[in-house]
Amino acid sequence: LLLLLLPIFSFGQVINTFPWVNDFENFIGLEQEQNDFGDWWLMQGSTSSMNTGPQGDHTTGNGIYYYVESSNPNFPNKDFIVYTPTFDVSATPGKVLSFWYHMYGMEMGDLEIAVISDSIYTPIDTISGDQGNLWQFAYYPIAAIDSFKIAFKATTGPSFTSDICIDDIMISDPFAVIY
């Protein structure tokens, strides 16, 4: 039975049905970069450091989110990178990336979001500095390409008060955003 489940959890899969959502409630993270400083972690509740990180996940406040712990030795300026699966949108182009992020802390670093298509890494945004003690929404149209994956690159700030968190990642058709 275990051998039958391995393909479901393996990285390198190609997704072609949408919307695709990862709210981390299934305890499955994203693909970790092997040549960066360290790993992102699944978390429930608050992070271990004071004055940084959320009190809970975005979805319910009691669920799971994905984050970079910035306590020693994970600062300063340490990179932590994860990747979504590859999305084949050749039959259904015009997708968007949306997700929620939490970047609270006096010495907050950066969260870079990039699209990787045909082995070309293209940054689409960098969110920098303290964004307040609340979950923020991000929404990005994806250029007209046939397949891609998304990279999330967290770079810690100069102290332990730079935990960077993401939740509720979705690749979908465009939708109206009401603030």
Side-chain angles (χ1 to χ4, degrees), residues 63-142:
I64 308 299
Y65 59 93
Y66 215 36
Y67 90 111
V68 167
E69 173 57 56
S70 62
S71 294
N72 195 35
N74 294 351
F75 73 88
N77 304 315
K78 305 295 188 207
D79 292 335
F80 299 79
I81 306 167
V82 290
Y83 306 99
T84 65
T86 298
F87 302 101
D88 176 358
V89 295
S90 57
T92 58
K95 299 297 181 224
V96 296
L97 161 68
S98 62
F99 64 96
W100 292 83
Y101 64 93
H102 194 284
M103 295 173 64
Y104 165 61
M106 290 293 294
E107 301 289 341
M108 184 52 62
D110 303 321
L111 176 62
E112 179 178 276
I113 303 96
V115 173
I116 301 171
S117 181
D118 295 327
S119 299
I120 298 171
Y121 183 97
T122 306
I124 56 176
D125 197 9
T126 300
I127 303 164
S128 299
D130 183 1
Q131 302 295 308
N133 191 7
L134 68 161
W135 286 95
Q136 304 277 358
F137 183 69
Y139 180 98
Y140 303 99
I142 304 298

Side-chain angles (χ1 to χ4, degrees), residues 8 11 13-24 26 28-31 83-89 95-99 148-150 152 166-173 175:
I8 294 170
F11 296 111
Q13 64 182 328
V14 176
I15 308 294
N16 61 8
T17 55
F18 302 95
W20 174 87
V21 176
N22 191 345
D23 60 8
F24 305 108
N26 58 8
I28 296 175
L30 301 177
E31 179 183 0
Y83 306 99
T84 65
T86 298
F87 302 101
D88 176 358
V89 295
K95 299 297 181 224
V96 296
L97 161 68
S98 62
F99 64 96
F148 64 92
K149 63 182 172 179
I150 302 295
F152 293 94
I166 58 176
D167 201 3
D168 299 324
I169 303 167
M170 183 168 66
I171 303 294
S172 68
D173 290 329
F175 56 90

